[in-house]
Amino acid sequence: SQSRYKPRTPYAAAKAAQDMLIMSHHRCFGINATIARPFNTYGPGQDLGAIIPNTIKSVLNHKTLHISGDGEQIRDFIYVDDTDDGILALAQHPDSKGRIVNIAREEPLSINYVIDTIFTIMGEKCRVKYKDKRPGDVDRHTSNTAVARGLLDFTPKISLIEGLKRTIQWWKQRKGCISLTTPAYRDWETDRKS
């Protein structure tokens, strides 16, 4: 359940360091620690810095969607309700102590595929502009959920299509209602003007 750490960005290194710190406290002092690793959780209310809400908002506002890299990066998306279910099941399981458990669909999809699926569900598109890949960005970030399946009998219930439909509906009901003070809004506002 514990993969080798090979962080390529400061963000990834910080997450790896947290995992190692928590597990060292578990081993040395016996604290009741469990680590849940959710993969690319999406759903209503997600920050606009993420690809799914950014795509939806760009379509709703007829603005250009800016993508880092060529869009062929592979990710493992999971709807927020399934992430919640997995984390709660893990927290309540008597044998979860000292475990590191991936919470994911184990369904590798390209960013372009997800964008095209959103366009299809919404029945409209926006312009997509590709820019340089972010430093340290990985081409493939997917999960092995064998521990979650074996320990928790965990299987996500919400398909990508259903999760996207719920997320799109949430954003449609709140078109234009996003905080003007968040960094994600400022980035989105800058991008949409270009």
Side-chain angles (χ1 to χ4, degrees), residues 32 34 85-94 96 152:
N32 187 4
T34 304
D85 289 346
I87 291 171
L88 287 172
L90 185 61
Q92 295 167 358
H93 198 283
S96 67
L152 309 173

Side-chain angles (χ1 to χ4, degrees), residues 42-43 45-60 65 118 167 170-171 188:
Y42 71 96
Q46 185 178 18
D47 184 86
L48 281 171
I51 187 61
I52 289 174
N54 194 4
T55 302
I56 295 166
K57 288 294 287 185
S58 295
V59 171
L60 289 174
L65 173 65
I118 292 169
T167 306
W170 188 90
W171 279 106
W188 178 78

Side-chain angles (χ1 to χ4, degrees), residues 16-27:
Q18 291 169 1
D19 283 5
M20 289 187 284
L21 179 64
I22 290 167
M23 286 296 103
S24 70
H25 278 275
H26 166 71
R27 287 188 298 272

Side-chain angles (χ1 to χ4, degrees), residues 107-160:
E107 181 181 10
L109 302 168
S110 74
I111 299 294
N112 285 331
Y113 177 85
V114 173
I115 292 168
D116 288 342
T117 303
I118 292 169
F119 289 167
T120 299
I121 293 169
M122 295 184 76
E124 57 182 316
K125 299 181 178 185
C126 66
R127 182 170 171 254
V128 179
K129 184 176 179 181
Y130 296 94
K131 55 187 182 180
D132 290 343
K133 187 177 176 180
R134 291 179 301 188
D137 196 13
V138 294
D139 293 328
R140 187 177 186 88
H141 187 241
T142 58
S143 174
N144 178 332
T145 60
V147 175
R149 290 192 314 270
L151 180 68
L152 309 173
D153 195 27
F154 175 73
T155 303
K157 298 176 181 69
I158 309 299
S159 69
L160 178 72

